Amino acid sequence: MHRRSPFVAAAALGALALTVLPAAATATPAQIATSKTNGVTYLKSLQAADGSYAGSGLSNEWAFSALAAAGTAAVDITPGGDASKNARTVYRALLSTSGWPSASPVVTDYERATLNAYAAGIDPARVSASRNLVADAYGYWQTAEPGYFGPSATFNGTVFAALALNGARTPSGAQRTPQALRDAIVTRVRANQHNDGGWNYSKAEGDATQLAAAGDIDMTGAAMAALCVSGVPNTDAAVVRAKAFLKSKLIANSGAFNGAFGVNTDSNGWAVSGLNACGINPQTGDFLTSQGKTPVDFLIAQQFNPGGGFRYLPGDTGPSAYASIDGLRAVAGGGFTSAPPVPVTTGAPQWVGQGSFTSGTAAKLALTVDDGAGGLKVCSVALTPTGPTTTLGAVLDAAASAATPSGCVTSVAPASGTGTVTAVNGKAGSGSNTWKVSIDGSAFATAARGTTVGVGDTIAVRWGA
């Protein structure tokens, strides 16, 4: 989702790098363990003196996803042993500032942060009283093209919506987004799969020319991961086609994938992370070449040891921060995010997150309204709580006037009180088909205006039995 800029700069060189350095034999568990250890050492060296990894522009915050995959907790990473500047605390503080990410944010800003906050052990829906990354992403739902997040022409925004919203579960491991939303995104991802089984960064749905264009290995890795984290099995036809696409790009003498930007660590890392996310072993079967090489062999061959950084291109004489992040995450077996490891720092919790609303502080909540007939509305609701919790009635009322995108809720009955919700958007209950609510993936239960809603709760309202 942020790879275009560094890739374009290296595209000319990458296109010439079709012959790669020979890799060692298929990577053993010991070699992978050494790669992880050295890779973590290198990523630790990227931490700034103030404890930060993230900042303006293309920052190194993706390191959190790689570190988590390699078994290192962000809270354990400190500059010079100063625990007050541990990477998690500093990152959380950055995400909580009102000026983050920029004056003109895009949906991938929030998706990237969701994936990396989750890996760092920060509940992305509860970064602070005023920062809910899940709700921020919900605000980019495309009402005119349901299932897309951000402009549909920039398809990677929708892919990373699936990775972030469906991959970053609650701290207890629950899937926080409702099935209807997951299904809507999956439908769009499927519709954008190219004829060759791959995907690229641009929208292809409904465009015969784009569908016939070549897929990219990096975006194919991300898109297949998006399907799998959304609940699509790796035996599904779309995943099988993606797997075949990647297999067709293998180079026998190295195990590398030959991508649109030539042979490079970033593209190969994304492809392997896609396989990892789908539970497909990148070292056996279709991904063990006739010369006994695999994509993991290639990635490890790209690593400097004992320094631990990874080259971007096979001929590079020094490491690249981005390549090192993508390479380590893939070698460590990670998809595009991982649950945070248990910290080794004494007293440090695995997870941190805001515990309650702060009265008078503006907040956002993620809301979906499913009418049971294929009409799904998705929005970010802005409200200012007056206590540590609020109610479903208050959220639905706020959604009528302060939702992004607008139109999520147009009416609610009853209009006051704490009783059972009998109608939403003019649709009333009928027999056993009534309005129900789920919070953070809980079982759907009767929706009442008085239902308690806490900070960061992901709310799904649905009509049905």
Side-chain angles (χ1 to χ4, degrees):
M1 58 193 288
H2 63 282
R3 298 294 178 220
R4 270 303 179 216
S5 296
F7 278 179
V8 168
L13 289 174
L16 298 175
L18 300 183
T19 302
V20 302
L21 299 177
T26 300
T28 66
Q31 289 173 316
I32 291 172
T34 298
S35 177
K36 288 164 62 177
T37 297
N38 292 343
V40 167
T41 297
Y42 176 77
L43 293 194
K44 285 182 176 179
S45 75
L46 300 179
Q47 186 179 33
D50 63 359
S52 66
Y53 276 85
S56 60
L58 295 173
S59 62
N60 292 328
E61 66 195 290
W62 277 109
F64 298 128
S65 66
L67 290 164
T72 298
V75 70
D76 293 330
I77 301 174
T78 61
D82 186 348
S84 69
K85 297 178 181 178
N86 73 76
R88 180 170 72 183
T89 295
V90 173
Y91 186 45
R92 184 183 182 191
L94 172 67
L95 298 179
S96 299
T97 58
S98 60
W100 180 90
S102 69
S104 302
V106 293
V107 66
T108 49
D109 291 330
Y110 300 110
E111 294 160 351
R112 180 183 68 249
T114 296
L115 291 163
N116 287 291
Y118 178 79
I122 304 165
D123 185 344
R126 299 174 176 87
V127 177
S128 69
S130 59
R131 175 68 68 198
N132 179 339
L133 295 168
V134 175
D136 287 329
Y138 268 42
Y140 288 81
W141 172 263
Q142 299 297 293
T143 303
E145 295 181 283
Y148 283 108
F149 281 81
S152 63
T154 312
F155 173 60
N156 62 315
T158 298
V159 169
F160 277 86
L163 291 170
L165 298 177
N166 302 333
R169 298 188 172 218
T170 67
S172 65
Q175 175 60 265
R176 70 178 90 216
T177 54
Q179 187 66 51
L181 177 55
R182 299 197 298 275
D183 290 345
I185 302 174
V186 164
T187 295
R188 294 300 191 178
V189 175
R190 290 185 187 280
N192 280 276
Q193 187 170 26
H194 292 211
N195 299 341
D196 63 8
W199 286 265
N200 65 27
Y201 287 76
S202 301
K203 181 182 179 182
E205 180 180 7
D207 185 330
T209 299
Q210 284 297 316
L211 289 169
D216 293 343
I217 63 169
D218 45 1
M219 201 62 200
T220 297
M224 67 189 296
L227 292 175
C228 291
V229 302
S230 301
V232 175
N234 63 16
T235 54
D236 181 88
V239 179
V240 172
R241 290 178 61 211
K243 179 181 172 183
F245 170 81
L246 291 179
K247 179 184 177 181
S248 74
K249 301 298 181 180
L250 273 175
I251 299 173
N253 73 343
S254 67
F257 294 111
N258 184 22
F261 298 96
V263 173
N264 68 81
T265 296
D266 289 300
S267 295
N268 275 260
W270 279 36
V272 171
S273 284
L275 294 171
N276 291 338
C278 288
I280 299 170
N281 191 330
Q283 290 224 93
T284 60
D286 289 337
F287 299 100
L288 178 62
T289 76
S290 60
Q291 296 186 33
K293 309 300 182 183
T294 75
V296 176
D297 290 329
F298 168 72
L299 290 172
I300 290 179
Q302 289 287 89
Q303 189 175 28
F304 292 93
N305 286 303
F310 288 70
R311 302 170 179 83
Y312 170 61
L313 296 174
D316 288 349
T317 58
S320 155
Y322 283 112
S324 300
I325 290 167
D326 287 339
L328 176 60
R329 184 175 57 233
V331 170
F336 287 82
T337 193
S338 296
V342 175
V344 298
T345 301
T346 302
Q350 183 180 13
W351 292 97
V352 293
Q354 182 74 18
S356 62
F357 289 114
T358 298
S359 181
T361 296
K364 292 181 181 178
L365 290 168
L367 173 68
T368 56
V369 179
D370 179 0
D371 68 2
L376 178 67
K377 296 182 181 295
V378 180
C379 61
S380 174
V381 181
L383 73 166
T384 302
T386 57
T389 63
T390 188
T391 64
L392 178 61
V395 174
L396 296 175
D397 291 344
S401 59
T404 304
S406 62
C408 201
V409 175
T410 56
S411 64
V412 182
S416 61
T418 60
T420 299
V421 173
T422 57
V424 177
N425 296 341
K427 185 167 186 174
S430 176
S432 62
N433 291 308
T434 60
W435 286 98
K436 297 176 174 63
V437 64
S438 167
I439 294 177
D440 272 1
S442 65
F444 278 89
T446 298
R449 286 188 62 91
T451 299
T452 299
V453 173
V455 65
D457 284 348
T458 299
I459 307 158
V461 176
R462 185 187 74 187
W463 185 94

